[in-house]
Amino acid sequence: MTTTAESGVHQRLADLAERQIAAGEVRGAPAADPVNLPMIRHWAAAMGDANPVYTDEEFAAGSAHGAIVAPPAMIQVWTMAGLDGGDTVGPVAVMLAALDESGFTGVVATNCEQTYHRYLRLGERPVAATRMSGLSGPKTTALGVGYFVTWVVTWYSDDEPVAEMMFRVLKFRPVERNPEPAKHDPYPLAPAVNRDTAFFWEGARQGELRIQKCGDCGEPRHPPGPVCPTCRSLNRTYTLAAGVGEVYSYVVHHNPPVPGREIPFVVAVIALPEGVRIVGNIVECAAEKVGIGMPVRVVYREMDDELILPMWIPRES
Amino acid sequence: MRTPTEQETRAGAALPELRIELTPTTVVSTALATMDFTPVHHDVEKATAQGSKDIFLNILTTMGLVERYVTDWAGPDALVRGINVRLGVPAYAGDALILGGRVAGREGDEVTVEVRGTVSLGDHVTGTVRLLLPR
Amino acid sequence: MYSLSGRTAIAGIGATEFSKESGRSELQLAAEAVFAAVDDAGLSPAEVDGLVTFTQDANQEIAVAREVGIGDLTFFSRVEYGGGAACGTVLHAAMAVATGAASTVVCYRAFNERSGRRFGQPDPRLGGQPSSQGVEMSWHVPYGLMTPAGWVAMFARRYMHAFGATSEDFGRVAVAMRRHAATNPAAWFHGRPITLEEHQRSRWIVEPLHLLDCCQESDGAVALVVTSADRARHLRRSPAVVTAAAQGAGRGQMMMTSFYRDDMSGLPEMGVVASALWSMSGLSPKDIQTAILYDHFTPFVLSQLEELGFCGRGEAKDFVADGGIEIDGRLPVNPHGGQLGEAYIHGMNGITEAVRQIRGTAVNQVAGVRNVLVTAGTGVPTSGLVLSRE
């Protein structure tokens, strides 16, 4: 929902973006250190990059480069601010700070495109020049509502452009959530419960697996409903299931992540000897051990202060 | 390092998979080697305080690993012209990054390689690398 | 008995481009597709007097009518159950035309399914409301069984167990669809065929389904013009006659989670549709030259081949072997590449392909097409069509 205050914020951000884009390209200071072998060597070692043109003088001399060159993907490394902290006055820095102040404090990079015109040699001292190129939003994303900010960096050696980068980040207003829900946080996947199904969930809270049974014809039914499809009776009762069953089918969920669950997890259709099937998780069992026909028995898991879910563990047959 | 054969650089050819174990040492040493001192790449407490599961790879490293993955295959005489990636889920310490790729297209000596780096949460990085192969 | 067979025809088809981010509103997409379909038929929007769409569509009929300049509407309806609605829109339109409730009905579906709300992502609200559907979902959502891939995977595992099918059998469907899409310039995966090895190597989504068993997500819109067969004969395109149209739901039916019925290895609702289509058309599977089968997930393509009678129960794995459903196979399925290869427009792009096959204008044209069978969403109450050339 867009309120007046929200659209005021949007207008301010859009106006600022326009000014920052109009400011054009702003050059930073030259690289603190010239392109040098020790930093290349550390980088190559950390990345596990064994390419000899970066570190082996003799090999490099005989290569197309004729001498040692820096890995192209290191281009940004040369002009990083290091421990001294970063730029606070450039057009992008001002835009990001304004987004922070408006509550869009989260940041996640979404795109990075680098183009290398040539490889850098030892002794060169690149300069990074930054221009902001776009602001789009607000957009609703999985992380929260946010703005995409795009900028372009060009690296110059003397006045020759040697590399470019387009970079895009999402600045978002974080949604309140805990990745590992504490014991008392509400479980995000709570069931909807109504008059027809409350008895089942109440049973789970008491450690009972209640299966609906028609009070007249005795037909068992799961999932339950208000009317017996066999005899039209509204006289509902339930039976307590023995709490054992067999896997009728199952899946192993890997993707995408599911709120409140750790992946991978197993979900199965369990056939009960009472004559119905029920869906539940199989726990305390490696996914690759699960199979159709596997005997299981029910356990009860506390999901939050309110909800207890019946789940299933392997059973000796 | 070796240079791939003509056959191995045809459109559709797959690159060998590379698995990189993301130990805390990997995450920290690459962050520092790329001069990135942002706490989320070396300080577990600060990383978890902002909602992350653990420390995670910085982007300069992702770019570096993608480049390395492709040049490992293309050999020391190939020239990298550009890398264009979309960034996905974080690559946390304790996870493994599995890089896969295939030749998406080839025009003369210029090849475009599609690269996908996955971690247990899903795609960490997907994109393309443009290379000039030696004649 | 009065029969709908042969009384109506699809006289125009239209679509937007298929993308991952349309960059426009869903209403604009709907309007563009409707214009394209009406233009294709050689009609003007003012001649349209009926509109049908999916219950799930976010564009009201009156909003679409306002945008494209449709005046008075004498018929409008919505069809329920996700992608199961696709062929149902044509059934509703055909019934309206055949009964005189309207003369020219446009069926449409428009969404930003990739850049907007993605059906493949878990949505905890699925089980949050005590409506009948919310309560139904609540037997599954709390256990994290809440994505279409998860629901289908549960059937796929049982199918494998019942008939000895393997993941590679599912993979052959994906390979066929991507082969067809590779030569269809409108397809998202144009020029990008896959191998069975690539299918097997693709990551798990929900075991036993790999990534390449799951169709893509797309932005786009499709529209179809339905009018009487007599009138269609005088319009600019050769008509695709509606020889049969049907909807179907089975006993004990649920939305994607019919795990509690006798058998989990088939799609009884598609069986309901199949017998209605064969009886209404007087045709049988051997009269069909190409079929458009709803392919949001590969395993249900196998079940559909069985339910529709193209092969016996459990025999679909042999039917799809050796390129059986590829363009040069015993029954070419989805020559446009299906939703796995072309785009996921909730089954509606498949109906346009069926019309092109009838007209003889498809990019991957099957020779000698007289009758095309089309199906809609699987795992849900569904629908189907037989379209014919005159």
Side-chain angles (χ1 to χ4, degrees):
Chain A
M1 196 165 57
T2 308
T3 64
T4 317
E6 287 280 355
S7 49
V9 168
H10 175 72
Q11 198 53 52
R12 268 207 320 282
L13 292 170
D15 290 348
L16 177 64
E18 203 173 304
R19 289 199 299 279
Q20 300 311 310
I21 291 168
E25 192 178 72
V26 176
R27 283 202 182 203
D33 296 295
V35 173
N36 65 82
L37 190 55
M39 281 173 67
I40 294 177
R41 205 161 44 69
H42 286 308
W43 185 95
M47 296 296 160
D49 194 334
N51 193 334
V53 299
Y54 303 148
T55 51
D56 182 337
E57 244 181 86
E58 204 179 307
F59 184 94
S63 76
H65 301 286
I68 283 190
V69 286
M74 257 190 102
I75 186 66
Q76 201 182 350
V77 175
W78 305 114
T79 53
M80 288 290 276
L83 271 175
D84 292 337
D87 165 28
T88 54
V89 294
V92 175
V94 168
M95 188 75 236
L96 297 179
L99 284 160
D100 278 333
E101 277 164 27
S102 305
F104 300 96
T105 52
V107 62
V108 56
T110 62
N111 296 81
C112 178
E113 176 172 9
Q114 297 187 343
T115 305
Y116 314 114
H117 301 311
R118 68 168 175 80
Y119 282 49
L120 289 182
R121 296 166 180 286
L122 298 182
E124 292 193 86
R125 184 167 259 177
V127 180
T130 304
R131 71 182 164 83
M132 181 169 152
S133 60
L135 174 78
S136 71
K139 194 172 150 71
T140 305
T141 72
L143 294 166
V145 174
Y147 284 84
F148 288 96
V149 185
T150 308
W151 64 88
V152 174
V153 180
T154 306
W155 282 273
Y156 295 90
S157 180
D158 292 323
D159 275 323
E160 179 203 354
V162 290
E164 266 135 43
M165 171 171 74
M166 184 280 288
F167 203 79
R168 184 172 298 137
V169 300
L170 169 67
K171 286 288 289 172
F172 60 97
R173 196 175 274 158
V175 180
E176 289 297 326
R177 65 174 163 204
N178 287 326
E180 298 286 336
K183 186 123 178 143
H184 300 289
D185 282 354
Y187 179 61
L189 305 180
V193 178
N194 72 1
R195 287 189 175 91
D196 301 330
T197 66
F199 77 95
F200 177 89
W201 301 106
E202 180 52 40
R205 262 197 296 278
Q206 296 178 27
E208 294 176 357
L209 191 64
R210 297 179 179 174
I211 300 300
Q212 181 175 309
K213 190 175 141 192
C214 176
D216 288 320
C217 74
E219 174 105 335
R221 185 182 186 202
H222 187 86
V227 186
C228 174
T230 308
C231 76
R232 293 196 198 183
S233 169
L234 299 173
N235 179 16
R236 284 169 268 169
T237 175
Y238 60 81
T239 177
L240 292 188
V244 297
E246 277 188 4
V247 173
Y248 185 78
S249 189
Y250 71 100
V251 302
V252 187
H253 186 105
H254 294 266
N255 283 296
V258 170
R261 312 290 310 205
E262 293 220 336
I263 47 176
F265 58 87
V266 178
V267 196
V269 174
I270 312 288
L272 304 186
E274 289 77 12
V276 296
R277 294 182 200 141
I278 186 168
V279 165
N281 296 110
I282 297 201
V283 293
E284 294 175 30
C285 179
E288 56 274 15
K289 294 262 164 68
V290 180
I292 289 179
M294 180 171 96
V296 290
R297 113 179 128 74
V298 73
V299 291
Y300 296 90
R301 289 289 156 90
E302 215 175 299
M303 307 311 287
D304 59 24
D305 290 345
E306 300 283 309
L307 179 66
I308 291 179
L309 289 179
M311 294 192 181
W312 302 84
I313 61 171
R315 156 178 70 95
E316 297 295 315
S317 53
Chain B
M1 294 183 87
R2 59 182 280 272
T3 300
T5 63
E6 194 66 24
Q7 177 101 350
E8 289 169 321
T9 58
R10 276 194 323 204
L15 276 64
E17 213 174 64
L18 174 66
R19 180 186 170 96
I20 298 174
E21 295 300 335
L22 303 177
T23 63
T25 307
T26 316
V27 175
V28 174
S29 64
T30 51
L32 302 193
T34 54
M35 298 293 284
D36 188 342
F37 298 91
T38 315
V40 290
H41 306 309
H42 62 260
D43 185 334
V44 180
E45 240 177 73
K46 289 214 170 124
T48 50
Q50 72 143 54
S52 296
K53 201 171 80 171
D54 204 328
I55 56 170
F56 53 92
L57 282 190
N58 67 330
I59 295 158
L60 280 77
T61 296
T62 301
M63 296 295 278
L65 293 175
V66 166
E67 181 175 271
R68 172 206 155 182
Y69 173 61
V70 175
T71 53
D72 275 0
W73 164 80
D77 292 321
L79 298 183
V80 180
R81 288 302 195 207
I83 303 177
N84 183 5
V85 299
R86 223 181 129 86
L87 299 156
V89 298
Y92 288 115
D95 207 333
L97 175 67
I98 296 167
L99 287 156
R102 67 177 196 100
V103 179
R106 173 159 189 176
E107 274 181 37
D109 296 325
E110 185 164 319
V111 292
T112 302
V113 177
E114 274 179 7
V115 176
R116 173 185 296 265
T118 56
V119 292
S120 60
L121 294 178
D123 285 346
H124 168 61
V125 59
T126 52
T128 54
V129 179
R130 283 184 298 116
L131 292 160
L132 203 60
L133 294 181
R135 280 171 192 281
Chain C
M1 197 185 76
Y2 182 94
S3 168
L4 192 60
S5 183
R7 291 180 180 268
T8 62
I10 298 176
I13 56 175
T16 63
E17 83 288 359
F18 305 135
S19 74
K20 299 297 174 195
E21 180 151 19
S22 73
R24 3 209 234 289
S25 71
E26 295 185 337
L27 182 56
Q28 182 176 337
L29 294 178
E32 289 177 20
V34 172
F35 278 135
V38 171
D39 289 349
D40 182 56
L43 295 169
S44 86
E47 293 173 85
V48 174
D49 55 3
L51 287 170
V52 185
T53 187
F54 292 45
T55 309
Q56 273 190 6
D57 200 276
N59 307 291
Q60 287 196 313
E61 301 89 312
I62 52 175
V64 172
R66 282 197 306 272
E67 293 312 306
V68 303
I70 293 173
D72 297 342
L73 285 172
T74 60
F75 175 74
F76 29 88
S77 80
R78 294 259 178 155
V79 185
E80 246 291 25
Y81 306 118
C87 298
T89 63
V90 175
L91 170 64
H92 285 217
M95 291 192 296
V97 169
T99 57
S103 68
T104 308
V105 181
V106 173
C107 308
Y108 65 90
R109 177 72 173 118
F111 57 17
N112 286 323
E113 195 280 327
R114 179 61 180 73
S115 66
R117 187 171 98 68
R118 300 174 60 182
F119 300 166
Q121 297 295 313
D123 180 357
R125 287 167 304 179
L126 279 176
Q129 296 296 320
S131 63
S132 70
Q133 195 187 343
V135 168
E136 186 179 307
M137 285 288 176
S138 292
W139 300 110
H140 314 109
V141 169
Y143 306 102
L145 186 63
M146 57 194 301
T147 60
W151 300 322
V152 173
M154 196 67 88
F155 289 98
R157 174 83 67 188
R158 189 71 202 177
Y159 181 91
M160 292 163 88
H161 175 81
F163 302 124
T166 64
S167 167
E168 293 195 341
D169 296 321
F170 302 153
R172 283 182 248 281
V173 174
V175 168
M177 296 308 113
R178 292 290 291 269
R179 175 185 166 193
H180 298 166
T183 53
N184 171 8
W188 180 258
F189 288 113
H190 177 230
R192 285 184 281 174
I194 56 166
T195 61
L196 193 57
E197 292 67 37
E198 284 170 306
H199 168 272
Q200 289 293 297
R201 272 208 315 272
S202 67
R203 67 192 159 97
W204 290 121
I205 297 301
V206 182
E207 275 178 71
L209 300 187
H210 289 275
L211 175 67
L212 291 176
D213 287 307
C214 310
C215 85
Q216 59 191 315
E217 297 184 292
S218 308
D219 285 9
V222 167
L224 314 160
V225 179
V226 177
T227 189
S228 71
D230 287 343
R231 179 141 174 265
R233 282 179 201 111
H234 299 101
L235 295 176
R236 55 189 283 243
R237 298 290 195 177
S238 48
V241 174
V242 181
T243 300
Q247 290 180 290
R251 188 178 188 80
Q253 180 81 50
M254 286 190 180
M255 271 295 275
M256 302 297 290
T257 58
S258 307
F259 307 140
Y260 310 93
R261 308 191 277 206
D262 292 348
D263 186 3
M264 268 181 65
S265 61
L267 289 168
E269 55 281 0
M270 194 58 82
V272 172
V273 169
S275 52
L277 291 179
W278 299 135
S279 105
M280 188 186 290
S281 66
L283 300 173
S284 70
K286 65 176 180 352
D287 300 312
I288 301 297
Q289 288 76 42
T290 175
I292 310 294
L293 303 185
Y294 198 90
D295 59 335
H296 56 355
F297 297 96
T298 56
F300 280 164
V301 172
L302 301 191
S303 321
Q304 287 182 82
L305 289 166
E306 296 168 12
E307 293 288 354
L308 293 161
F310 289 106
C311 60
R313 182 99 351 171
E315 291 171 3
K317 62 179 192 298
D318 308 313
F319 194 88
V320 303
D322 309 318
I325 59 169
E326 295 184 20
I327 188 78
D328 40 15
R330 63 202 97 190
L331 175 72
V333 169
N334 301 347
H336 61 314
Q339 305 194 93
L340 287 157
E342 187 183 69
Y344 174 69
I345 313 292
H346 239 167
M348 292 293 271
N349 48 322
I351 304 177
T352 61
E353 170 66 6
V355 172
R356 286 187 296 264
Q357 290 289 344
I358 295 289
R359 291 176 179 176
T361 59
V363 286
N364 296 321
Q365 182 64 45
V366 174
V369 172
R370 293 184 312 282
N371 301 301
V372 182
L373 181 137
V374 191
T375 62
T378 41
V380 294
T382 187
S383 52
L385 293 173
V386 176
L387 299 179
S388 306
R389 185 188 181 87
E390 288 201 305

